[in-house]
Amino acid sequence: MEQIARAAGVSKATVDRVLNNRPGVQEHTRKHVLAIVAGLAGTHSSDAGPSRIRLDFVLPGGDNAFISDLASEIERQVELRGDVDIEIHRLSGITPEEIAAKLGSLRPQTQGVGLIGLDSPSVREAVRRLVAAGVPVLTLVSDISHVGRVNYVGIDNRAAGRLAGYLIGRFLPGSAGKVALIAGALAYRGHEEREMGFRHVLQESFPRLNIVAAREVQEDAGRAYDEVQTLLTEHADLVAIYCIGAGHEGIARALTEAGRENSIIFIGHDLTEDTRQFLLSGVMDAAIDQNARVEAREAVDRLVRAIRNESNISTATVRIQSVFRENIPNDP
């Protein structure tokens, strides 16, 4: 039971309810646990067990700590299942051409693809070709529109952006001033949706806060550092920063060097080892987290189920959690 619980990412109590057909478990969770049970049974039985499945995940490279955590969680989930082989492709850049070329190269050998990709014409076309060839494609973290993907696993990014705006507005009740947007790469649909949600909630509820033009840093901490230095020089009335993607280290360094770490509200995304330390030190006020472990588990499970032609595979919207210094989870 402990092995099933670890592999499924649920409690032993949930496993007990499923195995004994007791109420109190959502149907998709019940199916997920039973699939894990079947997979584990196959690994411990004779050669008559289910055949192994080959999955490929295409993720951005670089120093994005959350993407590294996600890649590690995907590997962990696959190891726990025992019925899947994977290869994770971390791309050196985030250009549409590089992503599309990698997707095209996977077609001969893969059975399913998980993708964090840009919502651009060349990437969309590469995904459509995979789908047309019978390869299920699942988008992670940031969705891609109108490509026939089997599923999206991630947070509601527009809601996350609205949450960031709401937090900043509530941190600064009645205040006026400038708010900076530090964007990772707006070619990611998820980053674009976060910006849209953020702008809307400030316009609706906190009109005294004016947004400085978004600075796109291509997920690079050095560029984020330079941009924040410039913003601090140009805008004496800067009161808050919202970091849509990566680059937290550069922002924290710029604020600390300028002695503004306690006077500027700083909201970012994802609880990683870096953002955990920034929250503890006080330079960062809140991290809007998405659970990498849940995303990895759901992505692998939904791709496997799509390959096995299981029906009713719903989109997995991951819960958003606001993390502050006072409620940092014990496990990273």
Side-chain angles (χ1 to χ4, degrees):
M1 191 174 291
E2 289 181 359
Q3 187 178 8
I4 294 168
R6 286 197 305 271
V10 299
S11 67
K12 286 194 293 182
T14 298
V15 175
D16 180 70
R17 292 189 189 100
V18 171
L19 295 181
N20 291 286
N21 200 28
R22 296 195 186 99
V25 182
Q26 294 184 353
E27 186 59 27
H28 74 273
T29 301
R30 184 181 301 277
K31 289 181 178 178
H32 172 65
V33 171
L34 291 175
I36 294 297
V37 172
L40 290 172
T43 61
H44 295 156
S45 65
S46 68
D47 293 338
S51 60
R52 297 178 70 84
I53 287 175
R54 162 65 186 265
L55 301 179
D56 288 83
F57 284 84
V58 178
L59 310 179
D63 299 325
N64 188 316
F66 171 75
I67 301 299
S68 296
D69 289 348
L70 179 62
S72 297
E73 288 294 344
I74 291 169
E75 291 173 340
R76 178 175 177 272
Q77 292 300 320
V78 167
E79 183 178 352
L80 289 171
R81 286 184 64 107
D83 61 345
V84 175
D85 295 316
I86 63 160
E87 185 167 352
I88 296 178
H89 311 268
R90 297 290 304 273
L91 304 185
S92 58
I94 55 172
T95 65
E97 294 75 20
E98 184 179 5
I99 298 169
K102 174 53 69 177
L103 291 174
S105 72
L106 299 177
R107 209 178 316 162
Q109 73 271 14
T110 192
Q111 291 177 270
V113 174
L115 169 67
I116 300 178
L118 305 179
D119 194 353
S120 71
S122 56
V123 175
R124 288 196 295 268
E125 185 59 27
V127 172
R128 290 188 187 109
R129 288 176 180 170
L130 278 172
V131 172
V135 177
V137 178
L138 175 144
T139 54
L140 273 163
V141 181
S142 180
D143 204 2
I144 299 176
S145 56
H146 311 302
V147 292
R149 50 90 171 136
V150 296
N151 232 272
Y152 164 67
V153 175
I155 61 172
D156 180 337
N157 283 295
R158 191 173 186 275
R162 289 185 64 88
L163 176 59
Y166 178 79
L167 288 173
I168 286 175
R170 296 297 292 173
F171 272 127
L172 299 166
S175 297
K178 299 287 180 61
V179 178
L181 278 171
I182 302 297
L186 292 176
Y188 286 118
R189 179 175 166 182
H191 286 195
E192 185 179 31
E193 290 171 343
R194 291 176 189 178
E195 180 184 2
M196 179 172 61
F198 183 77
R199 288 183 179 276
H200 282 182
V201 80
L202 289 193
Q203 291 169 2
E204 293 166 3
S205 303
F206 308 102
R208 291 186 176 186
L209 297 174
N210 297 314
I211 297 175
V212 177
R215 306 294 179 95
E216 200 167 356
V217 299
Q218 299 299 320
E219 308 282 69
D220 182 83
R223 290 181 63 172
Y225 170 79
D226 293 339
E227 292 291 356
V228 173
Q229 280 195 317
T230 301
L231 287 165
L232 292 173
T233 300
E234 294 178 349
H235 303 282
D237 56 346
L238 187 70
V239 294
I241 294 174
Y242 171 38
C243 181
I244 291 176
H248 303 96
E249 186 275 332
I251 297 170
R253 182 157 58 96
L255 290 176
T256 302
E257 289 180 2
R260 301 293 303 278
E261 68 273 21
N262 295 318
S263 61
I264 290 180
I265 301 299
F266 174 23
I267 306 290
H269 278 265
D270 304 323
L271 186 63
T272 66
E273 195 55 44
D274 285 343
T275 57
R276 176 183 289 261
Q277 295 306 315
F278 298 149
L279 288 169
L280 288 170
S281 71
V283 67
M284 193 173 188
D285 295 281
I288 298 171
D289 190 42
Q290 54 187 317
N291 192 313
R293 182 178 305 149
V294 171
E295 290 186 347
R297 183 191 72 205
E298 296 297 332
V300 173
D301 180 61
R302 278 164 167 71
L303 276 173
V304 169
R305 289 166 64 190
I307 292 164
R308 291 176 176 163
N309 294 315
E310 296 184 16
S311 60
N312 299 321
I313 307 172
S314 60
T315 295
T317 302
V318 177
R319 184 176 61 186
I320 302 169
Q321 180 182 8
S322 299
V323 181
F324 308 94
R325 182 171 63 180
E326 302 303 327
N327 72 329
I328 298 175
N330 291 328
D331 58 326

